[in-house]
Amino acid sequence: MLLSKARTDEFFFRGITGAFALLVIIGVVAIGVELVRESRLSIQEFGWQFWQTDTWNPVAGQFGARPFIWGTLYSSLLALLISTPIALGIAIFISELCPAWMRWPLVFLTELLAAIPSIVYGLWGIFVLVPFVRSLEVATPEWMRAIPLFSGPPLGVGMLAAALILSIMVIPFSSSVAREVLKAVPQAQREGAYALGATRWEAIRMALFYARTGIVGAVMLGFGRALGETMAVTMVIGNSPQINWSLYKPQYTMAAVIANEFTEATDDLHLHALIEIGMVLFIITLIVNMISRMFIWSMARQRKPRAAAAPPVAAKATA
Amino acid sequence: MIRDRYRRLLSHVIVGLCGLSVLVALVPLALILFYVLSQGVSSLNWAFLTRMPAPVGEPGGGMANAIVGSLIVSGLGAIFAIPIGIISGIYAAEYAGTRLANAVRFAADTLNGVPSIVIGVFAYGIAVLPFRQFSALAGGVALGIMMVPLIMRTTEELLRLVPTSLKEGALALGATRARAVFTVVLPAALPGILTGILLALARIAGETAPLLFTAFNNRYFSTDIRQPISTLTVQVYTYAIAPNEDWHRQAWAGALTLVAIVLTCSLLARIATARMEKLQRGS
Amino acid sequence: MRLRHTAAVALAAATIAGATLVAQQINGAGATFPDPIYQKWFAEYNRLKSAVQINYQPQGSGAGIKQITSRTVFFGASDQPMTPEQLQAAPGRILHFPTVLGGVVPIYNIPGVTAELKFTGPLIADIFLGKITKWNDPAIGKVNAGVNLPNTDIVVVRRADGSGTTFIFADFLAKVSPEWKQKVGVNNALQWPTGVGAKGSDGVTGQVKQTPGAIGYVELTFAIANKLSYGSVQNSAGQFVRASTESVTAAAEAAVKQMPADFRVSITNPPGNAAYPLASFTWLLLYEDAPDKKQAATMVEFVKWALTDGQKFAAPMGYAPLPKAVVDLEMKALEKVKVK
């Protein structure tokens, strides 16, 4: 009697919670399907050429996404390069180095960076960051300007401004996850390192190595955030579709072109082309998240046997 | 000996760099907050918080309807996202390792990375077009979709952190799985879950694009959820791109209000978490 | 679950209560350019008739056309007339009603130059095509004798977001430069041969102000509101005209003779000595036969007011009022809208 009730209860519990989980999955799949459906005109018209052409001409009805894919990837990778050392530095400082009373306020402050709306970042970008970048560009010596990386007229808006604003926006995400990951490193590991005579940095390096897959996952999460950022980027990047290594030249990202042209587009092909760009972005975000997930999972699987061996020490570490 | 000195020096340098990186991150934060404050504080007054928008050239317009609207739409989003997020998080925690759990975790992370404008377009397709009506409800759907991944992952992570001994104790006393989870494990994880919810709210508080295509906007005061509704982010955006100085100043005041609301929510989240944890540890 | 249920019931009760208190609200979406004067009109009209609340959102001309076509809003507004394909795609016949006039002006920032510059149409086209790259180019000097133009690079600043302002600008350039018409064409979003894309007129103005040697284009209303200096443009009669509400209205007057019955006409580069060449109507879009006849009747009454009493608000805000001949034609056309 008791057994069968337990079994039906279990069945309902699993069924209902599972249904909600299924709902989330269906939701994501629905978004993907809707994206494909609403871009079918463009897919039919251009096929794979869409990913390889540089033209974006709403008048002639010629659309190619390559400059936007370039702009998105370049700006996000630059943002990653700039933000990762800073985010890691913050994570290390908060989890390993700072006194306990400083922890709470610092965590709060870094999370505050994440809480600022992106339109505020965009407005600050136009009025403060862009003039600052312009003065940097004007002050660049001639010999530096000869390098293709720094070529171009000093406009202020461009890849450099976009990379800077993206890195500021990404820092809180990467650093929070990295901090959580470092917190999970068993204290026994650190104590062992100190017992062997390690300096502060060497103990940190050991912790970083132990948590390496999780750290990579944290960095990838920040990357995913940078890929999708719209408002702040479009206000400082110069919005010119071109493929160029130069940091000073204005370029264009996928999210920015959708935001700029979507409400005004009336031609069906134009609309579908914009949504196809959204689909490309969706696919790239999917791939990035897949890779970051794989890293975090392998880290989690590694943790279990060791955590079981030292529970009281682990409990002290999380406190 | 020399090698030791080098190692110690390197350690000090790295420690210094870490401290420096904290400062480097705090500098733009201070600059942005200071900038928003200086631009917005002059226009932030009681009239702003309580009056409706005024047309160009008429002073004394406000964003009262936008503040109320933002609260309503965020509330709708929360009503939509909290049950879905928590219950699917329970599944992912309880049945971790099954294919469905892995799939839902992956789906949630993907959803987290979808740009907000794409979600806005999607919500437009399912919640506005079939009814030929912009509405606060549609805005709630769009924001809710964005909140689900954060709430789900926080719930899942926190449920897993609860010591299994608690759940096993409940089961040993004869409770069903459902009862064990809902009466023992979930309450234990509640402070963290609450943080997750408040952080999700902070995340969607600053979103404009999804609301443009769903909640539309409204010059007038409205609490009807089946009608367009005004929100702070859309109103700030509309004013920011307009030609007049007066509207610009109001846009900054609106941005300041928004940042203040998000700040307060984050602060409350931290305080609530700390207090709950203290209570739990004490008992 | 239960909590969600009670919350849903409570919310439903609140909204029903809220719905009974709200006056008749009509929703519209469309162009950002006329937003300031439309909001003024709706507020003034609401003062006259408190039961009428018109909620207009400046989401863009394209959005306006899209929304009215899918009937998610009752009326639309656009800086460019709907194309035959767009009209075909709508579920019913959509009528265009010009409400007010606007102009587009060239703004620039040249170090050391405070004089008002003169531009010819082909000159502007060549600058924006990237063919003329320096301010001391002889072509610019020819029409600006006596102005000391420096050897600075020209930085072209244009709109990144699709906009009616771009449409008017491109429409004019296509008429005066065959090369522009062939290479770039006319639309609210273009493949620009050169230049930096700024977001919104605000972005264009900001970029031009910050960049020595920059040239851009913004709406006249924007230039007036922000006290920007702008150049004059040569019209088809050969006169260099500075944009103002009078010269923009003169552009519309010249077009009245060839006004089509549906008012879908471009008035850039019109005939007339005093006409400003970069002028355009902005239109309100209404269904001829909308399902909600009450809202249709309200809108018709409003448009009649806007075309008569409302026009007095235009000039102080930088918009040019419609010439009387156009208003007369529109009053007759309004009778086509079915209100019963």
Side-chain angles (χ1 to χ4, degrees):
Chain A
M1 190 37 200
L2 210 69
L3 206 64
S4 67
K5 182 174 190 299
R7 219 178 289 151
T8 43
D9 277 342
E10 173 77 24
F11 176 73
F12 276 120
F13 179 73
R14 187 166 186 159
I16 293 177
T17 53
F20 274 79
L22 204 61
L23 194 63
V24 176
I25 298 175
I26 290 176
V28 178
V29 170
I31 292 180
V33 165
E34 186 73 8
L35 283 174
V36 172
R37 207 170 64 89
E38 290 295 326
S39 56
R40 62 189 179 282
L41 276 181
S42 177
I43 298 176
Q44 279 165 12
E45 177 81 17
F46 304 111
W48 283 112
Q49 285 302 313
F50 191 73
W51 294 65
Q52 296 161 359
T53 333
D54 286 351
T55 339
W56 186 264
N57 194 335
V59 177
Q62 286 299 322
F63 299 106
R66 207 164 65 155
F68 307 103
I69 300 176
W70 162 262
T72 306
L73 289 175
Y74 192 28
S75 60
S76 306
L77 278 168
L78 282 176
L80 215 63
L81 240 84
I82 302 174
S83 68
T84 305
I86 302 177
L88 278 181
I90 299 175
I92 294 172
F93 190 79
I94 295 180
S95 64
E96 314 268 338
L97 298 170
C98 75
W101 60 266
M102 239 197 241
R103 213 160 280 169
W104 190 115
L106 279 181
V107 167
F108 175 68
L109 284 173
T110 38
E111 280 178 6
L112 201 58
L113 267 177
I116 297 178
S118 81
I119 188 173
V120 173
Y121 272 110
L123 291 170
W124 176 80
I126 306 180
F127 294 119
V128 179
L129 187 66
V130 164
F132 170 69
V133 170
R134 181 155 195 281
S135 54
L136 273 182
E137 292 177 0
V138 166
T140 326
E142 272 309 311
W143 62 266
M144 258 183 105
R145 260 191 233 260
I147 313 172
L149 198 61
F150 298 105
S151 62
L155 297 165
V157 292
M159 184 52 70
L160 183 59
L164 284 175
I165 214 169
L166 274 178
S167 41
I168 299 175
M169 297 175 84
V170 157
I171 285 173
F173 287 86
S174 307
S175 84
S176 302
V177 179
R179 191 187 68 236
E180 294 296 326
V181 158
L182 280 175
K183 235 168 49 169
V185 173
Q187 196 67 349
Q189 294 281 328
R190 291 193 188 85
E191 288 169 357
Y194 284 127
L196 288 170
T199 60
R200 218 81 205 271
W201 161 234
E202 282 160 0
I204 293 172
R205 207 175 58 183
M206 181 280 316
L208 282 176
F209 179 77
Y210 185 86
R212 66 193 177 286
T213 50
I215 303 250
V216 172
V219 166
M220 296 294 242
L221 247 90
F223 188 58
R225 174 85 178 82
L227 287 177
E229 178 49 45
T230 313
M231 277 298 171
V233 172
T234 180
M235 298 207 183
V236 302
I237 199 170
N239 302 312
S240 302
Q242 54 172 329
I243 299 184
N244 205 309
W245 282 103
S246 171
L247 294 173
Y248 290 179
K249 286 247 165 78
Q251 292 169 55
Y252 221 156
T253 63
M254 290 189 269
V257 72
I258 300 176
N260 280 332
E261 297 189 3
F262 190 74
T263 48
E264 285 286 350
T266 43
D267 173 37
D268 270 345
L269 185 61
H270 189 186
L271 271 169
H272 282 228
L274 285 169
I275 298 192
E276 191 177 353
I277 290 199
M279 189 191 79
V280 170
L281 191 48
F282 183 70
I283 293 176
I284 293 183
T285 318
L286 227 150
I287 297 175
V288 167
N289 276 308
M290 207 152 52
I291 299 175
S292 77
R293 273 286 98 204
M294 288 195 313
F295 273 117
I296 296 185
W297 283 346
S298 66
M299 157 85 179
R301 248 176 282 150
Q302 230 177 46
R303 211 176 67 179
K304 276 207 176 89
R306 295 180 204 229
V313 189
K316 237 202 293 182
T318 53
Chain B
M1 248 315 83
I2 298 173
R3 195 181 143 77
D4 271 349
R5 225 176 290 163
Y6 160 76
R7 282 169 57 215
R8 225 162 293 176
L9 182 66
L10 183 63
S11 180
H12 286 315
V13 166
I14 300 283
V15 168
L17 281 176
C18 289
L20 190 68
S21 56
V22 172
L23 287 172
V24 164
L26 290 182
V27 162
L29 177 66
L31 285 174
I32 296 174
L33 284 180
F34 176 71
Y35 191 68
V36 178
L37 210 75
S38 63
Q39 294 285 323
V41 80
S42 52
S43 313
L44 198 63
N45 47 36
W46 190 243
F48 177 81
L49 295 171
T50 53
R51 304 260 285 274
M52 298 304 129
V56 179
E58 292 178 33
M63 284 202 192
N65 57 344
I67 297 174
V68 170
S70 280
L71 292 171
I72 292 180
V73 176
S74 308
L76 285 172
I79 290 176
F80 176 73
I82 291 176
I84 297 180
I86 292 186
I87 297 180
S88 51
I90 291 175
Y91 181 88
E94 285 295 306
Y95 300 98
T98 61
R99 270 188 313 202
L100 187 56
N102 290 341
V104 74
R105 220 173 285 133
F106 180 69
D109 284 337
T110 310
L111 193 54
N112 203 31
V114 175
S116 57
I117 192 165
V118 173
I119 293 188
V121 172
F122 174 72
Y124 173 77
I126 60 166
V128 174
L129 220 44
F131 309 103
R132 301 197 190 290
Q133 173 83 333
F134 288 112
S135 61
L137 263 177
V141 166
L143 293 183
I145 294 177
M146 297 182 70
M147 289 174 73
V148 164
L150 266 161
I151 299 180
M152 193 216 108
R153 296 296 271 121
T154 327
T155 308
E156 184 206 343
E157 290 295 334
L158 267 102
L159 284 178
R160 288 168 95 186
L161 278 175
V162 172
T164 46
S165 50
L166 257 91
K167 192 171 84 176
E168 284 164 2
L171 291 171
L173 288 169
T176 58
R177 194 170 203 160
R179 182 164 278 189
V181 167
F182 281 108
T183 57
V184 175
V185 186
L186 202 60
L190 209 55
I193 296 178
L194 201 68
T195 314
I197 294 174
L198 282 162
L199 285 174
L201 280 169
R203 159 100 202 263
I204 53 116
E207 292 293 340
T208 319
L211 292 172
L212 273 173
F213 310 128
T214 49
F216 199 52
N217 197 3
N218 202 331
R219 301 291 287 189
Y220 304 95
F221 188 80
S222 166
T223 51
D224 186 351
I225 59 174
R226 287 162 318 154
Q227 292 295 321
I229 199 167
S230 178
T231 48
L232 266 177
T233 43
V234 176
Q235 194 70 338
V236 166
Y237 175 72
T238 311
Y239 275 0
I241 59 176
N244 357 46
E245 261 317 298
D246 182 45
W247 279 3
H248 276 175
R249 273 183 272 114
Q250 287 199 30
W252 279 112
L256 184 58
T257 315
L258 191 55
V259 173
I261 292 178
V262 173
L263 215 162
T264 319
C265 279
S266 304
L267 201 64
L268 285 174
R270 286 280 141 199
I271 296 178
T273 318
R275 200 154 284 180
M276 275 192 186
E277 278 176 351
K278 211 181 283 183
L279 274 170
Q280 280 187 347
R281 233 175 291 160
S283 65
Chain C
M1 276 293 212
R2 181 151 297 174
L3 182 65
R4 189 167 162 218
H5 209 253
T6 34
V9 170
L11 211 65
T15 56
I16 293 171
T20 49
L21 295 169
V22 159
Q24 179 193 34
Q25 184 168 81
I26 304 178
N27 295 313
T32 50
F33 160 70
D35 183 45
I37 191 164
Y38 281 3
Q39 298 301 349
K40 181 87 182 162
W41 279 347
F42 300 140
E44 288 293 323
Y45 199 67
N46 183 244
R47 279 198 199 110
L48 292 172
K49 302 199 175 182
S50 58
V52 177
Q53 286 185 348
I54 304 179
N55 176 30
Y56 176 77
Q57 293 304 325
Q59 296 200 331
S61 302
I65 295 175
K66 249 198 324 239
Q67 304 304 347
I68 192 177
T69 307
S70 37
R71 286 199 200 265
T72 41
V73 294
F74 188 77
F75 70 92
S78 175
D79 293 334
Q80 46 190 116
M82 290 173 72
T83 62
E85 294 85 21
Q86 291 165 353
L87 286 169
Q88 189 86 315
R93 188 136 176 265
I94 295 183
L95 302 171
H96 289 61
F97 295 100
T99 48
V100 82
L101 287 154
V104 176
V105 298
I107 57 172
Y108 46 84
N109 172 7
I110 312 169
V113 173
T114 49
E116 184 188 294
L117 289 183
K118 298 196 179 80
F119 296 95
T120 65
L123 184 62
I124 301 180
D126 285 341
I127 293 177
F128 278 81
L129 279 168
K131 287 169 68 181
I132 298 181
T133 53
K134 286 214 185 267
W135 280 108
N136 61 354
D137 191 290
I140 306 181
K142 202 161 68 157
V143 282
N144 289 289
V147 180
N148 200 351
L149 292 162
N151 186 22
T152 327
D153 287 321
I154 300 184
V155 178
V156 167
V157 179
R158 29 85 177 178
R159 291 283 290 270
D161 43 334
S163 112
T165 317
T166 304
F167 179 82
I168 300 170
F169 192 64
D171 189 54
F172 168 70
L173 290 180
K175 286 187 185 166
V176 296
S177 164
E179 191 180 347
W180 180 274
K181 185 170 174 162
Q182 193 235 355
K183 263 181 112 185
V184 185
V186 184
N187 197 347
N188 57 32
L190 303 167
Q191 184 180 40
W192 295 87
T194 178
V196 165
K199 190 160 167 61
S201 290
D202 218 16
V204 171
T205 312
Q207 189 68 38
V208 168
K209 276 197 183 149
Q210 283 176 24
T211 316
I215 184 172
Y217 61 91
V218 293
E219 306 96 15
L220 177 62
T221 48
F222 197 85
I224 293 179
N226 288 278
K227 303 194 187 34
L228 303 172
S229 59
Y230 51 90
S232 56
V233 184
Q234 191 181 44
N235 64 12
S236 61
Q239 301 294 319
F240 286 95
V241 180
R242 195 160 185 275
S244 67
T245 51
E246 293 85 15
S247 56
V248 171
T249 308
E253 263 156 8
V256 171
K257 294 185 197 70
Q258 294 114 345
M259 184 72 70
D262 60 359
F263 300 106
R264 290 167 53 232
V265 67
S266 151
I267 57 171
T268 51
N269 209 30
N273 262 343
Y276 183 66
L278 280 143
S280 170
F281 288 122
T282 182
W283 292 265
L284 202 82
L285 306 170
L286 283 172
Y287 274 104
E288 183 182 54
D289 190 359
D292 189 336
K293 295 292 186 287
K294 241 176 49 143
Q295 289 198 344
T298 312
M299 281 311 292
V300 168
E301 285 312 305
F302 166 76
V303 174
K304 285 196 181 145
W305 175 88
L307 292 174
T308 48
D309 287 331
Q311 293 292 306
K312 66 172 182 274
F313 295 107
M317 292 178 75
Y319 297 89
L322 296 168
K324 187 164 184 317
V326 177
V327 174
D328 291 336
L329 287 170
E330 287 194 62
M331 294 300 235
K332 263 207 280 279
L334 275 167
E335 288 161 25
K336 279 200 227 140
V337 179
K338 297 204 171 66
V339 296
K340 293 207 210 309

